[in-house]
Amino acid sequence: MVVSTVAEGDRNSAVPAEGRVDPLGGPFLRTRFAVPSRPAVFLERTRLTRHLDQALRTPLTMVNGSAGAGKTALVADWTAGLDQPVTWLTVEAEEQRPGMFWAYFLQAMRASGTPLSDRVHCPADPSRVSHKVLSEIAEDLVGRDPAPLVVLDEFDRVSASQVAEQLEFVLQHSGAGLRLVLVTRNEPMFSLHRYRAAGALTEVRDAELAFTPQEAATLLELHGLRLPADAVRALVERTRGWAAGLRLCALAAQQSPDPQTYLKEFEADRSTVADFLLAEVLSRQPGETQDLLLRVSVLDRFCPDLVNELTHRTDADRILAELYRDNAFVEQLGQGWYRLHPLFGEILQTHLRVRSPGLEPDLHLSAAQWLRRRGTLPEALAHGAAAADWDFTAGALVDDLAIGQFFTGLRSDDLNELFSGMGPESTGPATELVRAARDLAQSDLDRGMAHLHHAEARLAVEEGDPAAAQLSWALLETVAARLTGSPARAEQAAETADEVRPEVPAHLLDKHPELPALLLTHLGSTRLWAGRYEDARAALTEAADCPGGALTVLPREESMGHLALIDYLNGWPGRAEHKALAAMTETERFSLPQPSGSGIERLVLAAVAVDRNELGRAQALLDEADELGHETQDPVKAAGRAIAAARLQLARGNGRAAMESAAPALSTAVASPWAESLERVVASTVHLAEGRAETAAEVLRNLPDDQPAWAVEAARIQLAAGRPGAAIDLLDSVPAGSRPGPAVTVRAALVRAQAAEAAGDADTARRFGAQALLAARRERLRRPFLDAGRWIRPLLATPSLRVLADGWLLPDPAAAGGPAGAPPPAPVVVQELSERERDVLRRLAQMMSTQEIAADLYLSVNTVKTHLKSLYRKLAVNRRSEAVRRARDLRLL
């Protein structure tokens, strides 16, 4: 390559080039024609230099990016690899005058060794150039092979449209004799659309100039810094891959004793990055534009109308368009919205506080009010909180009927953090409702109910239209009723909601379907606590059928989990399992964080697993449920856990642990009949096992007779205590219309079979044994037979019953050599695997690690873990190897 070079000692000197002077009579500065040297630590970016190779085939190339984007270094590196002369001209402000521009253009070509002929005259007037000179230049370039390559660096300094028009004239009339490369911060005033349409333009824009995480990691390594991949990605996100920002950060981090922490936490406003941006971007703008940039620095995104609101101007549309066009670190988001480059925004915000102390809260409040009027609630809340105007912020949330979002799992963390700065000085009804919602969502009952009481008192004297606030209060009242086990309180709150709902604007109710879904869920839960199964089922079914997609997914999941528990309590484990799995799938469908929800469906699945004698799976499900809201004071969930945990401990022979599990420490307004019955049945079982038959029978005295499941459990214990008559009386007392499920009827049949066996009636014993086996086989209920005791073994050995028990309860004699004590076969897959779960399963079979699966499927590690948990659950396994083996047995692989 042939380019002009300048000795280091001459770079800042001004000497004539080839005895010529510019139109002002001064010497041409040779440094303007030198290809800039690359930094000592420089990263070659092959993907971009290959792209620039197209510039040799198109008449016009534009490298357009913000200050510090690495434009000049990229083009300089690219030209270093060419085998033809390169004309380089670094444009300065003097080139606003056409005569000066073209004089330097011609001198640059001479300096690079590609001069034009002597017939081309250098302009003598610095302010103008004749059309004749332009024609001579274009004519002289026609037919050149190879076509001269001219790079005009910092072309954005040429703001005179006349120069751009003249350049375009020369480019157009030189045929294929010129290759022009413009390095600029903004779009030149060329007819770029024509070049694009003709395929005659090569472009490298700001987005392409941004460093990728891989490039950034390599650049940092060149500076002696090695960072984990996630730290590099975070730095690239914060800098948007901005070349100068990355380099300046790396240089500063080299001086830090802990580079990784510095790059994660550095304060942009106190760094060389700030100096660069303030000097190269902000100070170049007119005063009115600087004021606009400082004011919008408080915004995450902005549109012209919002900017006009904050600046008291009317021309923000024009200014924003110019800033974007000039690559002044203003990014376009589409549909008329913009945002500042993150680092630029941080620096401007600090500069605003110094230049205009006290203005920032006013700007936030103005933005909050503007956004609230236009229905953009999340951003309005964020700016209201930033302004510390809590009455406005809480009022906006309540008036919008969005109080339920504290309980939906979608924005609850954001809202908790947003309102964490609210002090006690704000005491309006809206602020009290928000405090109550925060506390109740975190199961802080004492504080939550205190704030709820204050809100109720203030609403009683509130003027205006408090319908949205009243409905919000009713929702929180049902939450409090559920957590305190107060069915009457929940019913009263539901009535209030029904009365107030017609007064709330319909568009708000349509906007927030989560509110009625939550109301119904909490109402159904309190009814279930009270043992009113059918009333609970009505409310919970309505909640589970609520529309709303992701907005209502958690109340739907909770409602389905409660419905699963009702089915389990009624003795229908298969139905319970189906609903519980559907509840878990509900959150998976919307890609919510896993695990999510209350976990009640996992407790139901754990109880079902105990009934099937899958004790390891039951423990795993209990552990998963405990990970979800382990601080919750929800009595229904606590009682649901008590059922699963107590039965698991009984199955393991841990009587005392079972009694502790069956009696969770709860403080509720009313006792739950089924939770109380569980505690008594477990205690009776333990007393009986420890030889205290009389105590066991006494514990069961006056057990409610309207619950078939507990009546049957009590009958089994009475029979084991040697009281067959009392046992049969209990079974006969079960109402004929109660229609209990197979888990109840199997145990009842076994009690009758044992009573008949004890009375010497073998035929009746076999008949009831057959009934139990037929009902249990469909549901794979093994635990009732294991709990029955030794008497049942001879009965099951009879040929007629052995046939019914083989293969699922007893080892299948047709199986090839299975040991007599082998565990029963695993249950069939109860739910279809998703396509993504099949993808993960196939890679499990290839012995790939979680990280390898994530990389292969372009997923995060956490997402793969979520799929693995779901896959294990559906295959009823706990380990990778078991999943692969089970999948092969089922021919899924």
Side-chain angles (χ1 to χ4, degrees):
M1 182 188 74
V2 182
V3 294
S4 64
T5 58
V6 182
E8 285 296 324
D10 296 335
R11 282 194 180 277
N12 298 316
S13 61
V15 295
E18 299 182 6
R20 295 176 179 270
V21 295
D22 66 30
L24 291 176
F28 286 110
L29 300 175
R30 296 199 305 175
T31 52
R32 302 268 301 281
F33 312 130
V35 178
S37 60
R38 287 163 290 181
V41 180
F42 177 75
L43 175 65
E44 295 184 6
R45 305 178 71 188
T46 307
R47 67 178 175 91
L48 295 180
T49 53
R50 286 176 179 170
H51 186 176
L52 280 175
D53 286 340
Q54 298 177 23
L56 301 175
R57 299 187 291 275
T58 58
L60 180 62
T61 295
M62 179 178 66
V63 181
N64 181 355
S66 56
K71 307 179 296 296
T72 298
L74 169 67
V75 177
D77 181 53
W78 172 65
T79 60
L82 300 178
D83 58 358
Q84 69 177 76
V86 174
T87 297
W88 190 286
L89 173 60
T90 301
V91 179
E92 291 192 356
E94 289 82 357
E95 271 76 289
Q96 300 288 359
R97 291 176 286 185
M100 286 292 291
F101 173 84
W102 286 104
Y104 263 92
F105 183 94
L106 294 173
Q107 184 61 20
M109 296 198 71
R110 294 188 186 97
S112 68
T114 56
L116 301 183
S117 64
D118 291 340
R119 65 182 177 180
V120 177
H121 297 88
C122 183
D125 185 344
S127 299
R128 59 181 299 277
V129 62
S130 68
H131 186 74
K132 180 175 180 296
V133 170
L134 299 175
S135 298
E136 290 172 347
I137 295 172
E139 182 61 28
D140 200 76
L141 289 170
V142 171
R144 294 249 183 157
D145 187 20
L149 180 67
V150 178
V151 178
L152 299 180
D153 191 18
E154 300 192 37
F155 189 72
D156 48 276
R157 293 182 175 181
V158 178
S159 59
S161 59
Q162 192 177 2
V163 172
E165 291 170 1
Q166 292 166 353
L167 256 179
E168 194 166 7
F169 171 84
V170 170
L171 186 62
Q172 181 179 355
H173 291 283
S174 62
L178 177 63
R179 297 287 181 260
L180 185 62
V181 179
L182 305 180
V183 183
T184 176
R185 294 188 188 182
N186 55 32
E187 287 213 352
M189 289 174 281
F190 275 52
S191 303
L192 295 177
H193 61 284
R194 295 180 181 174
Y195 290 92
R196 290 189 182 108
L201 175 65
T202 298
E203 293 183 82
V204 177
R205 304 185 72 87
D206 217 31
E208 293 173 273
L209 290 166
F211 274 61
T212 65
Q214 293 78 10
E215 290 172 335
T218 305
L219 179 67
L220 292 172
E221 287 177 5
L222 291 175
H223 286 80
L225 303 171
R226 290 184 177 274
L227 269 69
D230 58 344
V232 175
R233 283 194 296 271
L235 181 62
V236 170
E237 176 62 26
R238 190 175 178 194
T239 61
R240 294 283 197 272
W242 176 43
L246 289 169
R247 179 170 168 75
L248 291 170
C249 288
L251 291 171
Q254 285 179 324
Q255 311 303 317
S256 171
D258 187 353
Q260 183 173 339
T261 300
Y262 174 84
L263 291 174
K264 181 180 180 181
E265 301 176 355
F266 76 93
E267 299 180 43
D269 55 289
R270 299 182 183 179
S271 66
T272 52
V273 176
D275 298 336
F276 182 95
L277 288 172
L278 292 175
E280 291 293 324
V281 182
L282 186 64
S283 64
R284 289 191 176 203
Q285 305 300 331
E288 62 182 18
T289 304
Q290 290 188 33
D291 179 69
L292 181 149
L293 286 169
L294 289 169
R295 286 172 178 263
V296 302
S297 67
V298 305
L299 304 170
D300 291 330
R301 63 175 192 140
F302 43 86
C303 65
D305 287 344
L306 177 53
V307 175
N308 284 333
E309 179 80 11
L310 267 60
T311 59
H312 311 294
R313 303 177 60 84
T314 59
D315 59 351
D317 200 349
R318 173 186 61 79
I319 296 175
L320 292 175
E322 290 175 354
L323 288 168
Y324 172 69
R325 186 193 66 209
D326 294 345
N327 284 315
F329 288 80
V330 173
E331 304 170 358
Q332 197 173 57
L333 299 176
Q335 298 182 332
W337 287 85
Y338 300 84
R339 69 180 174 192
L340 294 173
H341 184 287
L343 288 181
F344 194 33
E346 290 178 44
I347 293 162
L348 289 177
Q349 202 162 359
T350 300
H351 210 54
L352 171 69
R353 292 167 189 151
V354 174
R355 184 180 290 190
S356 303
L359 179 59
E360 189 176 357
D362 293 340
L363 293 172
H364 277 299
L365 185 57
S366 295
Q369 292 168 341
W370 187 91
L371 290 162
R372 178 74 186 100
R373 290 194 297 271
R374 281 151 183 81
T376 312
L377 182 66
E379 290 174 273
L381 296 178
H383 286 291
D389 190 328
W390 299 110
D391 288 328
F392 167 86
T393 308
L397 181 79
V398 172
D399 290 345
D400 196 81
L401 212 62
I403 199 81
Q405 292 182 358
F406 277 101
F407 305 92
T408 60
L410 299 175
R411 293 198 61 228
S412 52
D413 289 343
D414 294 339
L415 289 175
N416 279 318
E417 183 178 355
L418 187 143
F419 283 101
S420 62
M422 184 168 60
E425 64 279 0
S426 301
T427 57
T431 55
E432 291 292 352
L433 285 170
V434 168
R435 289 190 183 99
R438 288 183 64 210
D439 292 336
L440 291 173
Q442 296 168 10
S443 292
D444 189 338
L445 281 176
D446 292 338
R447 292 179 57 183
M449 290 196 295
H451 289 305
L452 195 56
H453 177 73
H454 294 324
E456 183 180 14
R458 284 164 176 73
L459 284 172
V461 296
E462 178 79 359
E463 296 180 359
D465 182 15
Q470 291 282 5
L471 190 53
S472 299
W473 173 87
L475 168 62
L476 299 181
E477 185 73 357
T478 61
V479 176
R482 171 181 175 176
L483 296 180
T484 56
S486 306
R489 187 176 182 180
E491 297 293 346
Q492 183 60 51
E495 289 179 14
T496 300
D498 290 340
E499 293 170 2
V500 174
R501 192 177 287 114
E503 302 174 24
V504 177
H507 74 276
L508 285 182
L509 293 171
D510 292 340
K511 181 180 178 182
H512 292 290
E514 74 275 5
L515 194 137
L518 288 164
L519 269 165
L520 289 164
T521 300
H522 299 315
L523 177 63
S525 182
T526 57
R527 288 175 174 175
L528 173 53
W529 175 252
R532 295 163 49 199
Y533 293 169
E534 293 312 308
D535 290 341
R537 191 190 302 276
L540 294 167
T541 301
E542 189 176 349
D545 291 339
C546 278
L551 291 174
T552 59
V553 61
L554 284 189
R556 291 201 312 272
E557 175 255 353
E558 270 209 289
S559 295
M560 293 163 71
H562 280 71
L563 289 168
L565 180 57
I566 293 174
D567 280 338
Y568 182 81
L569 292 173
N570 282 330
W572 297 92
R575 295 181 186 177
E577 181 183 52
H578 178 76
K579 287 187 175 69
L581 289 170
M584 294 172 70
T585 305
E586 195 71 8
T587 55
E588 294 172 4
R589 284 200 307 125
F590 291 92
S591 301
L592 293 185
Q594 297 292 329
S596 60
S598 68
I600 196 166
E601 63 278 2
R602 287 172 171 81
L603 297 173
V604 173
L605 290 174
V608 172
V610 172
D611 286 350
R612 291 173 177 166
N613 202 39
E614 297 162 1
L615 305 188
R617 183 165 186 251
Q619 185 63 65
L621 287 162
L622 276 173
D623 293 342
E624 276 189 37
D626 287 344
E627 292 176 11
L628 295 167
H630 59 277
E631 296 179 355
T632 184
Q633 297 185 36
D634 177 5
V636 170
K637 180 182 176 183
R641 190 191 189 286
I643 292 174
R647 287 191 162 169
L648 177 59
Q649 295 296 351
L650 287 175
R652 288 172 170 170
N654 301 326
R656 289 297 162 182
M659 288 180 67
E660 291 177 6
S661 298
L666 290 174
S667 177
T668 56
V670 301
S672 172
W674 55 271
E676 201 172 55
S677 297
L678 165 73
E679 184 179 350
R680 292 169 63 183
V681 166
V682 170
S684 180
T685 302
V686 174
H687 287 308
L688 184 65
E690 294 177 353
R692 294 184 293 276
E694 288 301 322
T695 305
E698 184 62 29
V699 168
L700 295 179
R701 194 179 300 279
N702 299 322
L703 196 70
D705 58 6
D706 60 344
Q707 299 172 59
W710 306 122
V712 171
E713 291 282 3
R716 186 175 65 84
I717 293 170
Q718 292 282 14
L719 181 61
R723 299 178 176 180
I728 299 302
D729 288 344
L730 278 170
L731 295 181
D732 291 341
S733 69
V734 174
S738 59
R739 299 175 62 190
V744 177
T745 59
V746 166
R747 291 183 182 273
L750 288 177
V751 170
R752 293 185 185 277
Q754 185 178 2
E757 180 81 10
D761 188 350
D763 290 340
T764 300
R766 284 194 294 274
R767 178 163 55 83
F768 281 117
Q771 286 181 12
L773 285 168
L774 286 169
R777 183 169 61 178
R778 189 179 304 109
E779 300 277 356
R780 304 189 304 284
L781 298 175
R782 304 182 183 95
R783 197 69 233 168
F785 298 90
L786 295 172
D787 292 339
R790 295 182 179 180
W791 72 269
I792 201 170
R793 294 179 185 175
L795 184 67
L796 294 179
T798 59
S800 60
L801 297 188
R802 177 76 192 219
V803 171
L804 297 176
D806 281 342
W808 68 275
L809 182 60
L810 299 176
D812 188 348
V828 297
V829 175
V830 294
Q831 193 175 353
E832 188 71 22
L833 299 184
S834 69
E835 189 57 40
R836 182 60 81 191
E837 287 163 355
R838 288 176 180 270
D839 291 339
V840 171
L841 180 61
R842 283 190 283 270
R843 285 156 180 81
L844 277 186
Q846 297 170 23
M847 304 296 290
M848 295 174 68
S849 69
T850 303
Q851 290 75 14
E852 289 170 337
I853 295 172
D856 199 42
L857 293 175
Y858 299 97
L859 299 172
S860 71
V861 171
N862 284 338
T863 301
V864 173
K865 288 180 178 178
T866 296
H867 288 310
L868 284 173
K869 278 190 176 181
S870 176
L871 192 147
Y872 292 166
R873 187 185 72 250
K874 292 179 180 180
L875 292 175
V877 298
N878 295 313
R879 295 182 180 84
R880 289 166 171 251
S881 57
E882 293 173 357
V884 173
R885 185 165 56 251
R886 181 84 179 115
R888 286 184 174 135
D889 290 343
L890 294 169
R891 300 180 182 176
L892 296 175
L893 289 172

